[in-house]
Amino acid sequence: MFDAALPTPAALMQDPAFAAALRDCGEQPRTLPSSGLTLLHRRIGGMPVAMLPRAHPPSTLSDDLHALGLHRTALILSPPTPCPMPRALRLRAPQPIAVINLTAPTATRRAALHPKWRNQLRCAEAANLRLTQAALPPDPRHPLLMAEAAQARTRRYANWPAPLTAAFARVAPAQTHLFTAWQGRTPVAHMLFLCHGRSATYHIGHISPAGRAVCAHNLLLWHASDCLADRGFFQVDLGLLHSDSPGLTRFKRRAGAQVQMTGGTWLRWTPLAR
């Protein structure tokens, strides 16, 4: 059972809380009338573009786009897993993501850890760290969000802007789980998970040199997995595995995560379809 493929859950970006957070930030996501899927509308280089994020294109897609007046608009599709696609141009090949299965007993999940990862976990467990769990305060200037923004600028990667994460916390506080490791009164590591349905997605995290020295993120991820499993969640999505971040990829893989492939990224546009 532990090695069995997990069912494909509704993705974070298709959860009602994500659409509500966008509206809270002044955005106007659209809804496909037949399927209820969230559709984003952007301008890229001055050109209007629609996006169907992390969803399988429904059989009613053409009718839905006509109903919304978007049938002539370029549409970017990014299904969560490989699936039948309408005629479209592939922009990006399927990408690997890391997923932790929470349905197995704790002892089974611990045995599935890579030996080095498990040794790091033991180091953290012996470091007398205090762990807390709370909802994320809906403040775009929360220390974790500020640290994440600075880290993203330094490492040149893209993530949600802080106001969007804060808006998600404002409209759906019960779906945010912020785990923090403390040395005395000093926080040394954070991990934020956003929940959707019975799945949780690792969203952002940060660790100080003191936290890194005692492998605090190993302890936080293990503790978060246990807490989420106890609440009935069946998986944790750790996100994409990037070849240009071998250390992070190694951390995710050694945490007992399975590798799943996305469905790639596709461009559907009427002139191309013809």
Side-chain angles (χ1 to χ4, degrees):
M1 287 295 294
F2 183 61
D3 293 328
L6 293 170
T8 302
L12 173 61
M13 296 179 75
Q14 287 299 332
D15 191 88
F18 177 68
L22 289 172
R23 294 189 197 97
D24 192 75
C25 291
E27 301 286 339
Q28 296 297 325
R30 310 289 292 274
T31 301
L32 295 183
S34 298
S35 60
L37 293 171
T38 296
L39 193 71
L40 309 182
H41 204 205
R42 297 283 188 272
R43 284 190 174 272
I44 300 178
M47 177 182 175
V49 175
M51 292 181 281
L52 184 62
R54 294 298 296 262
H56 296 132
S59 59
T60 57
L61 180 61
S62 293
D63 292 339
D64 286 344
L65 293 175
H66 269 86
L68 296 174
L70 296 174
H71 54 289
R72 298 183 185 276
T73 301
L75 173 65
I76 295 177
L77 300 164
S78 54
T81 58
C83 64
M85 297 292 294
R87 185 175 297 179
L89 174 68
R90 193 174 79 173
L91 302 179
R92 178 179 291 181
Q95 304 291 302
I97 63 172
V99 177
I100 295 178
N101 186 338
L102 300 180
T103 61
T106 300
T108 304
R109 289 190 288 107
R110 186 153 185 140
L113 301 174
H114 186 281
K116 289 186 177 180
W117 206 99
R118 191 162 51 243
N119 286 339
Q120 290 171 336
L121 175 59
R122 292 195 188 103
C123 170
E125 289 172 331
N128 295 319
L129 297 173
R130 178 170 60 91
L131 305 183
T132 59
Q133 177 186 0
L136 176 71
D139 178 6
R141 298 192 65 80
H142 184 277
L144 173 58
L145 300 185
M146 298 295 289
E148 162 64 16
Q151 181 173 272
R153 286 192 299 270
T154 300
R155 299 182 182 177
R156 298 184 179 181
Y157 64 83
N159 208 336
W160 289 15
L164 179 57
T165 300
F168 190 100
R170 185 161 42 251
V171 302
Q175 291 177 234
T176 68
H177 297 270
L178 175 59
F179 294 87
T180 305
W182 304 75
Q183 281 184 337
R185 297 184 178 182
T186 303
V188 295
H190 304 273
M191 277 189 163
L192 173 65
F193 298 82
L194 304 182
C195 295
H196 41 103
R198 292 182 59 211
S199 183
T201 293
Y202 167 69
H203 186 52
I204 55 176
H206 191 261
I207 190 166
S208 70
R212 190 173 291 108
V214 294
C215 306
H217 265 174
N218 296 66
L219 182 59
L220 279 184
L221 180 54
W222 177 253
H223 176 68
S225 297
D226 268 354
C227 290
L228 293 169
D230 288 344
R231 289 176 177 233
F233 294 97
F234 68 80
Q235 72 172 35
V236 175
D237 181 345
L238 296 180
L240 290 171
L241 298 173
H242 295 286
S243 59
D244 57 352
S245 301
L248 182 57
T249 292
R250 188 164 53 247
F251 177 85
K252 294 177 180 180
R253 291 292 307 275
R254 289 179 173 179
Q258 304 169 26
V259 177
Q260 298 180 2
M261 301 302 292
T262 69
T265 303
W266 302 77
L267 174 64
R268 179 190 184 275
W269 194 30
T270 302
L272 293 176
R274 290 175 179 170

